[in-house]
Every structure is written in structure tokens, then in C-alpha cells.
Amino acid sequence: MTNGRGRKRSKKNLIIIRGLPGVGKEPYARMLLDKFGCGQIFSASYYHAMYNWNRQYFSRNHMWNRLDVFRAMEEGVDPIIVYNIHSFLSDMWPYITMGMRQGDYHIAMMELPQGYPKNSFPINQLYRICNCTIPKQKFRFWEENWQEADDIWDVLNDSSSICRWQYSREEWNLY
């Protein structure tokens, strides 16, 4: 895309941060936001906290978070930083798809700690960081079921993600 003078317009940024609870996703997102000087951070954790981490609302909270990100993209927010656990590729697929459809977002994915799962924190340490509020078996589940992705194409081309989301009636998937 050019702006009429032959120069390319710079793309906006969509940054997806993934990692287990307690690895520092939120502080890292805030550091990135400070570095950019503007933009917005999104996480289902905000909704989880509003509803006292009641598991009954987790699915709805994630849906609301996706809608928030979709609306921010429609408004042209730059950067958009999304941090969640994202242990499954299908957890990231909606955000990456939104960014691709929007057409003017550069999409970056990052795992914390960098190099995860080879470079990981012990479960006992993460359990303590989270004030013992998340059962250790949940950490083990995320760790054992972690799906690796080298880039956004690993996510976009994941057949189980496509199957999960292709018929979604959420607003971001209807246009």
C-alpha cells in the first residue's frame, strides 16, 4: 500500500503473548505498551478477575476479550497487545485471523519465557507465584498439551483451529 507519494504506509502492530500463569505476561505487555507510548492491552484475565475467577464464565470472558480486540482493530488501535495462556493454537487463531483480515496489522507472537517449553519455570515455582490459587494439575495440563508454533502460519494452517472456528458466529468472524 502506498500513500500517493510512493511511500509505503507502516502497518499497525498486533502482538500476541502466550505463556503459563506466573511467567510475567502482564508486566511484559505493559513494558511493550510503554515502549510504544500508546495502544491497548487485552486479556481475558481482566474479565476473569471481575467475576472472581469463576470458571463458569471463562468461555464467555474469552469471547468478550475477542470482541474487544475486534473492535479495537476496527478503530485502528496501534499496538494491540493480547496476552493469555494460549496453550492451544486454536486459542490464538481468532486474533491472528482478525489481524490478517484487517490487512494492515503486522502480527507478532511471542512465548514467555522465551524458548518455552524448553526454557520453562518449574511448576512449583509458578504455583507459588500465583499464590497457590491455580491447581498444580492445571499447570501440568497446560504444559503437557502445549502446542508449539514457530510463526503465525503454524496457527493459521492448523486444521483443528480451522475446524473449531470456521462456523463461529462471533462478530469478528462474520465479516
Side-chain angles (χ1 to χ4, degrees):
M1 262 190 264
T2 60
N3 66 3
R5 293 191 176 140
R7 285 181 273 156
K8 287 186 176 186
R9 282 192 281 172
S10 61
K11 287 193 169 203
K12 298 179 218 98
N13 294 282
L14 169 61
I15 302 166
I16 299 169
I17 303 171
R18 65 190 300 224
L20 296 179
V23 298
K25 295 181 300 290
E26 183 177 12
Y28 191 79
R30 293 197 181 289
M31 183 271 303
L32 285 174
L33 195 65
D34 288 344
K35 191 174 179 180
F36 277 96
C38 60
Q40 290 181 352
I41 297 174
F42 298 91
S43 177
S45 295
Y46 298 135
Y47 289 112
H48 296 335
M50 281 193 323
Y51 292 95
N52 203 26
W53 297 89
N54 186 331
R55 293 177 44 93
Q56 172 184 346
Y57 301 114
F58 276 22
S59 181
R60 184 201 59 197
N61 296 346
H62 281 279
M63 181 185 70
W64 284 354
N65 192 61
R66 288 187 295 273
L67 182 59
D68 289 344
V69 170
F70 173 73
R71 289 180 177 160
M73 282 185 185
E74 292 285 294
E75 294 170 10
V77 173
D78 180 32
I80 292 174
I81 302 169
V82 181
Y83 75 87
N84 286 310
I85 296 169
H86 297 304
S87 60
F88 296 103
L89 301 182
S90 61
D91 298 336
M92 296 180 286
W93 196 88
Y95 301 107
I96 293 171
T97 300
M98 284 182 233
M100 293 296 285
R101 287 180 183 164
Q102 208 56 29
D104 58 350
Y105 275 90
H106 168 73
I107 305 166
M109 287 181 347
M110 53 188 61
E111 295 177 344
L112 293 182
Q114 290 186 352
Y116 186 84
K118 294 172 188 80
N119 179 25
S120 62
F121 290 104
I123 288 175
N124 286 335
Q125 181 180 357
L126 295 174
Y127 179 71
R128 284 190 302 276
I129 291 169
C130 294
N131 298 317
C132 308
T133 57
I134 299 171
K136 288 182 186 179
Q137 73 233 28
K138 195 67 179 159
F139 283 104
R140 284 188 197 95
F141 171 81
W142 287 318
E143 202 168 60
E144 290 166 6
N145 292 285
W146 191 266
Q147 294 179 323
E148 292 188 49
D150 293 325
D151 56 38
I152 65 170
W153 300 107
D154 288 343
V155 177
L156 286 173
N157 294 322
D158 178 58
S159 59
S160 62
S161 298
I162 294 167
C163 286
R164 176 178 175 192
W165 292 108
Q166 68 182 342
Y167 298 115
S168 166
R169 303 295 298 160
E170 290 183 25
E171 185 176 340
W172 63 267
N173 206 27
L174 296 178
Y175 87 100

